[in-house]
């Protein structure tokens, strides 16, 4: 009985640590969504304060990422996890990496704003397209956060679908920056191409988070998942 009770206490500790790990991931997702909103504000208003808020949020995400790593190590050390538990811990570690990658991509966006300040990062017609990309990434980070927090998300479809309009916007921005009639200098053209790249990378990581969570619940590998 004493051994059985000890096993039960270890199992209870393991379960509580899993819950705490999920809560930390959800908090990371909220911070990342806030960073995306502040990045949009920085871009649209050449807002230096908003840009520095993006940097500060990245630092917070890095702190939470380190907490998730530490907790994951503790979970793996508590006992030999069963298959589902092990899959949850490994998936959580990968999700934390993806959230950190989104946050870092948004900081690179803020870098462009700071470098261009007090001028705008692009002429208005181009800025409108960049704003659409930024809003799309904000929506994806919001959806990723909801999926992380959901106790029982749908298992028969993509949880964070790829945004085809975002891909179209990226292509349009690259075309504008590379056009022979571009009159705003090569440095701005490079910045615009980089902004499009950073937003696309952030979106890719959000989509991957959805696939990771679907993998956890279904066991379907990421490479075998479809958008349907």
């Amino acid at each position: 009985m004493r051994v059985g009770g000890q096993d039960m206490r270890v199992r209870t500790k393991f379960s509580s640590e899993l819950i705490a790990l999920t809560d930390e991931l959800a908090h990371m997702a909220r911070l990342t969504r806030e960073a995306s909103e502040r990045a949009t504000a920085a871009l649209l208003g050449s807002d230096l304060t908003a840009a520095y808020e993006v940097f500060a949020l990245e630092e917070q995400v890095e702190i939470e990422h380190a907490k998730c790593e530490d907790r994951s190590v503790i979970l793996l050390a508590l006992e030999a996890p069963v298959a589902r538990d092990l899959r949850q811990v490994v998936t959580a570690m990968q999700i934390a990496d993806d959230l950190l990658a989104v946050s870092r991509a948004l900081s690179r966006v803020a870098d462009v704003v700071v470098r261009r300040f007090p001028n705008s990062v692009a002429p208005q017609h181009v800025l409108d397209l960049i704003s659409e990309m930024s809003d799309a990434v904000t929506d994806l980070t919001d959806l990723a956060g909801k999926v992380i927090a959901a106790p029982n998300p749908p298992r028969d479809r993509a949880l964070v679908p790829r945004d085809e309009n975002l891909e179209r916007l990226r292509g349009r921005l690259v075309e504008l920056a590379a056009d022979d009639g571009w009159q705003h200098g090569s440095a701005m053209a490079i910045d615009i191409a980089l902004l499009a790249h950073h937003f696309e990378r952030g979106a890719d990581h959000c989509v991957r988070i959805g696939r990771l969570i679907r993998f956890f619940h279904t066991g379907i590998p990421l490479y075998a998942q479809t958008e349907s």
Side-chain angles (χ1 to χ4, degrees), residues 16-173:
S16 66
E17 289 291 333
L18 279 177
I19 293 171
L21 179 58
T22 300
D23 289 343
E24 286 174 350
L25 288 175
H27 182 48
M28 282 185 72
R30 290 191 294 271
L31 291 172
T32 304
R33 185 187 189 283
E34 185 178 351
S36 186
E37 292 175 338
R38 301 316 297 154
T40 301
L43 283 167
L44 295 182
S46 297
D47 189 332
L48 205 58
T49 299
Y52 281 113
E53 287 174 347
V54 176
F55 300 146
L57 286 163
E58 182 193 5
E59 291 180 0
Q60 293 181 51
V61 171
E62 288 179 342
I63 291 171
E64 293 302 315
H65 180 269
K67 290 180 181 178
C68 287
E69 281 191 329
D70 290 345
R71 194 177 299 278
S72 296
V73 172
I74 291 172
L75 280 164
L76 295 174
L78 280 174
E79 61 174 286
V82 298
R84 182 177 174 84
D85 291 338
L86 180 60
R87 193 161 74 220
Q88 183 171 357
V89 175
V90 172
T91 299
M93 293 170 69
Q94 293 181 73
I95 290 173
D97 288 344
D98 281 310
L99 288 169
L100 181 58
V102 176
S103 179
R104 286 174 173 169
L106 293 169
S107 282
R108 302 296 78 75
V109 170
D111 282 338
V112 177
V113 175
V114 172
R115 188 168 65 251
R116 287 279 170 185
F117 184 82
N119 300 314
S120 175
V121 299
Q124 189 60 49
H125 70 288
V126 177
L127 196 60
D128 289 342
L129 297 175
I130 295 173
S131 175
E132 284 190 59
M133 284 198 80
S134 184
D135 287 342
V137 172
T138 298
D139 289 342
L140 289 172
T141 57
D142 182 56
L143 181 55
K146 290 177 179 177
V147 169
I148 289 170
N152 189 28
R155 303 185 184 190
D156 59 348
R157 57 182 171 83
L159 298 178
V160 184
R162 188 173 297 279
D163 189 331
E164 294 182 0
N165 186 52
L166 194 147
E167 296 177 7
R168 179 190 63 80
L169 289 167
R170 178 190 178 281
R172 180 60 181 147
L173 284 168

Side-chain angles (χ1 to χ4, degrees), residues 115-116 121 176-179 182-194:
R115 188 168 65 251
R116 287 279 170 185
V121 299
L176 286 172
D179 190 271
W182 179 259
Q183 300 178 352
H184 305 283
S186 59
M188 182 178 285
I190 292 171
D191 280 345
I192 289 169
L194 287 173

